[in-house]
Amino acid sequence: MDHDHATPETLLDLARDRLPPAEKAEVERHVAGCEDCRRAVEVERGLDGLLDTALPRRAAPPSLVRRIEARLERQPRRGLVVVAGVAAGVIAIAAFLLVWSIRRDTTRVLLREAVNDHLRVIHAARPVEIESNEMQQIKPWFTGRLDFAPGLAFQGDAEFTLRGAAVGWFVDRKCAVYVFARGPHAITLVVMPAADLDWPRRSRARERGFETLLWREGDLAYGLVSDADAADLGKLAERLTPR
């Protein structure tokens, strides 16, 4: 690896064990000798671990528990038949609870991932891969790095200054990451294809001390995160996707 730092995308792939064996070995050798990259990988793994352990756990509704218990009581109590029936019931309950919990908390999970991505950016050794306040420089930079066009209507202004951009990952897909500034506050924007994501049409919330705003326009999903005021995020969102 002949550059000073691995790209954020490569470090994220290493942290999530998504690199081919040969490339993984090369990146691991680089990380072993680069303090900034090693710290970035550790932060990424720590944030992923926090996200995994922080997912909500929901109990089954009492009515569902009663129905399953009644059904099991009606099953023949003969050796392996009972064992198999109980095992099937347990598996069914687990599958139901998993789907039920995911559907119930999809937006919350997306909000947490958006905040995690914001923290990755602001604590990274290089928050952006291309530093520029000119959208005409950033737009062609994404060509060949993404399989969609993340063009924005807003170019940045004196109130919301564009700092630069990078390629990131959100859940299971590549995304465009833009960094804006509102005074001393950093604002991150992620843009990605919305296909197969249960992305809300519009959702505003405060998550772990950060203001978050998720919305969808056409085939693209957008997410803003910052410690700036919620009203500021609303104003920026209006400029990013004017109707």
Side-chain angles (χ1 to χ4, degrees):
M1 188 166 296
D2 57 0
H3 42 280
D4 294 337
H5 296 89
T7 66
E9 178 185 354
T10 299
L11 295 176
L12 181 58
D13 284 343
L14 175 65
R16 294 185 176 177
D17 198 23
R18 292 193 295 232
L19 293 174
E23 185 178 356
K24 179 180 178 181
E26 180 184 1
V27 176
E28 285 179 336
R29 285 194 297 271
H30 169 78
V31 169
C34 177
E35 180 66 20
D36 288 340
C37 292
R38 183 186 62 78
R39 188 181 302 112
V41 172
E42 290 176 353
V43 168
E44 174 61 38
R45 287 172 174 162
L47 288 171
D48 282 349
L50 177 63
L51 181 62
D52 289 340
T53 58
L55 285 174
R57 301 291 186 266
R58 304 282 184 177
S63 59
L64 173 65
V65 174
R66 288 193 295 270
R67 289 200 302 273
I68 293 175
E69 288 176 344
R71 182 173 180 178
L72 290 176
E73 287 174 359
R74 292 196 295 269
Q75 298 296 321
R77 299 179 180 277
R78 299 192 192 93
L80 292 178
V81 175
V82 175
V83 174
V86 172
V90 171
I91 293 172
I93 294 172
F96 174 87
L97 292 179
L98 177 61
V99 174
W100 182 69
S101 177
I102 289 174
R103 287 178 178 173
R104 183 183 179 98
D105 297 296
T106 295
T107 300
R108 188 65 180 272
V109 170
L110 293 175
L111 290 172
R112 290 181 183 220
E113 179 68 7
V115 171
N116 282 353
D117 283 357
H118 176 76
L119 291 172
R120 292 181 189 111
V121 170
I122 64 176
H123 290 302
R126 293 191 303 170
V128 294
E129 292 178 86
I130 174 172
E131 295 184 16
S132 177
N133 59 5
E134 300 289 338
M135 193 63 72
Q136 58 264 34
Q137 294 181 1
I138 292 177
K139 184 177 179 180
W141 181 84
F142 278 119
T143 303
R145 291 179 168 88
L146 296 173
D147 56 2
F148 69 99
L152 299 177
F154 181 58
Q155 308 291 309
D157 57 20
E159 190 173 12
F160 296 100
T161 307
L162 179 61
R163 293 285 180 82
V167 172
W169 280 88
F170 194 101
V171 185
D172 62 348
R173 65 203 61 199
K174 282 185 177 181
C175 64
V177 181
Y178 296 90
V179 178
F180 291 88
R182 170 71 163 135
H185 305 285
I187 304 175
T188 57
L189 167 70
V190 292
V191 184
M192 74 204 80
D196 301 321
L197 278 179
D198 191 12
W199 200 270
R201 285 294 172 185
R202 195 168 186 88
S203 176
R204 186 195 302 268
R206 187 169 178 83
E207 177 70 25
R208 285 151 55 194
F210 293 94
E211 298 296 338
T212 63
L213 180 58
L214 308 182
W215 75 99
R216 179 172 177 166
E217 289 287 341
D219 296 331
L220 295 179
Y222 299 81
L224 283 172
V225 180
S226 180
D227 59 354
D229 292 339
D232 288 333
L233 261 64
K235 286 195 293 185
L236 179 54
E238 290 176 1
R239 298 180 192 184
L240 289 166
T241 54
R243 297 181 183 276

